[in-house]
Amino acid sequence: EAQVTQNPRYLITVTGKKLTVTCSQNMNHEYMSWYRQDPGLGLRQIYYSMNVEVTDKGDVPEGYKVSRKEKRNFPLILESPSPNQTSLYFCASSRDNRHEKLFFGSGTQLSVL
Amino acid sequence: EDQVTQSPEALRLQEGESSSLNCSYTVSGLRGLFWYRQDPGKGPEFLFTLYSAGEEKEKERLKATLTKKESFLHITAPKPEDSATYLCAVQALTSGSARQLTFGSGTQLTVLP
């Protein structure tokens, strides 16, 4: 089954404790992206990757890091989380940069205390 | 800057009561407009892509239309299972390559039995 898998589904942490949210897709997609979703603000892009070893900033990249060492994986790293990073996070992938159809993961609800 | 505004923010309909959701956009050269459906606790799911004014796409009780300034998602004789948040996104063209997607905040649709 074609899917984007994110883990964990829920995460509660404290300010400053480094964390990683994993994302994996099984569709051999070139393009992957991370979004955060906040009430009233819609989906905002954090980082994206056009292919292995190619990443770029989205609209709200501050406080986040990503890496794309393998085509299927695109982890999101918060080196020193802060309460304003409490949000619902989605990973997405598509065949290429034209975004004909984005496939989203089920989301990670992060709470930073 | 690309902008997407969706209205209304929330809509409650009786089963069978047809209506439309609106997505107004401002982009410097539209490459594509996308509609997604998001169920509670899940990631958005792709519905339609529209590329040019006058284009229409249909899927079951949903029909998406596009003009030069806005898109409508028409829902005919909705059922309770159509209850979800509907997201609109646009992708602009820049120098021959596609930019990232800009999402609206969504319309939360509730269809009462």
Side-chain angles (χ1 to χ4, degrees):
Chain A
E1 179 189 356
Q3 59 184 4
V4 177
T5 304
Q6 286 179 237
N7 282 298
R9 185 75 177 86
Y10 300 94
L11 181 57
I12 301 174
T13 190
V14 295
T15 299
K17 186 175 181 181
K18 180 180 178 180
L19 66 91
T20 300
V21 184
T22 64
C23 175
S24 180
Q25 49 93 4
N26 64 359
M27 296 166 279
N28 200 36
H29 282 170
E30 289 186 352
Y31 180 90
M32 297 186 75
S33 180
W34 277 103
Y35 292 88
R36 61 178 288 173
Q37 188 174 40
D38 302 288
L41 296 178
L43 283 163
R44 294 180 293 166
Q45 191 176 47
I46 303 170
Y47 268 95
Y48 64 95
S49 169
M50 304 258 254
N51 214 321
V52 176
E53 302 292 0
V54 180
T55 63
D56 207 347
K57 297 177 181 179
D59 296 320
V60 289
E62 295 77 21
Y64 304 94
K65 283 177 57 177
V66 293
S67 68
R68 186 96 181 269
K69 293 183 170 55
E70 305 167 284
K71 198 170 186 179
R72 64 182 292 127
N73 296 325
F74 191 46
L76 179 69
I77 302 158
L78 284 71
E79 295 267 1
S80 183
S82 63
N84 64 11
Q85 292 179 298
T86 292
S87 186
L88 179 59
Y89 291 86
F90 289 102
C91 179
S93 74
S94 65
R95 187 177 58 186
D96 53 40
N97 183 41
R98 291 175 298 172
H99 308 314
E100 299 296 334
K101 182 176 180 179
L102 266 177
F103 290 81
F104 284 83
S106 296
T108 296
Q109 180 64 59
L110 172 65
S111 295
V112 183
L113 305 177
Chain B
E1 184 181 335
D2 304 336
Q3 288 192 330
V4 178
T5 303
Q6 292 188 245
S7 62
E9 288 185 12
L11 181 63
R12 290 165 67 92
L13 300 173
Q14 291 292 326
E15 185 172 1
E17 180 186 2
S18 301
S19 188
S20 297
L21 313 183
N22 178 263
C23 172
S24 298
Y25 64 91
T26 305
V27 293
S28 52
L30 180 71
R31 184 190 173 272
L33 184 140
F34 306 83
W35 283 98
Y36 285 82
R37 169 190 171 129
Q38 185 174 18
D39 293 301
K42 295 188 177 181
E45 182 180 342
F46 174 80
L47 289 174
F48 304 110
T49 306
L50 301 166
Y51 293 105
S52 57
E55 188 175 0
E56 298 183 353
K57 293 273 180 75
E58 285 190 67
K59 180 180 180 179
E60 296 180 356
R61 295 176 292 282
L62 301 177
K63 183 168 81 171
T65 62
L66 180 64
T67 72
K68 289 187 177 181
K69 293 184 179 181
E70 56 192 350
S71 177
F72 292 94
L73 185 65
H74 307 277
I75 303 176
T76 302
K79 298 182 177 182
E81 52 262 41
D82 295 322
S83 297
T85 297
Y86 291 86
L87 303 174
C88 172
V90 296
Q91 184 181 35
L93 270 173
T94 176
S95 302
S97 65
R99 274 199 231 143
Q100 306 308 306
L101 297 182
T102 299
F103 280 86
S105 299
T107 293
Q108 185 176 8
L109 174 67
T110 304
V111 182
L112 304 171

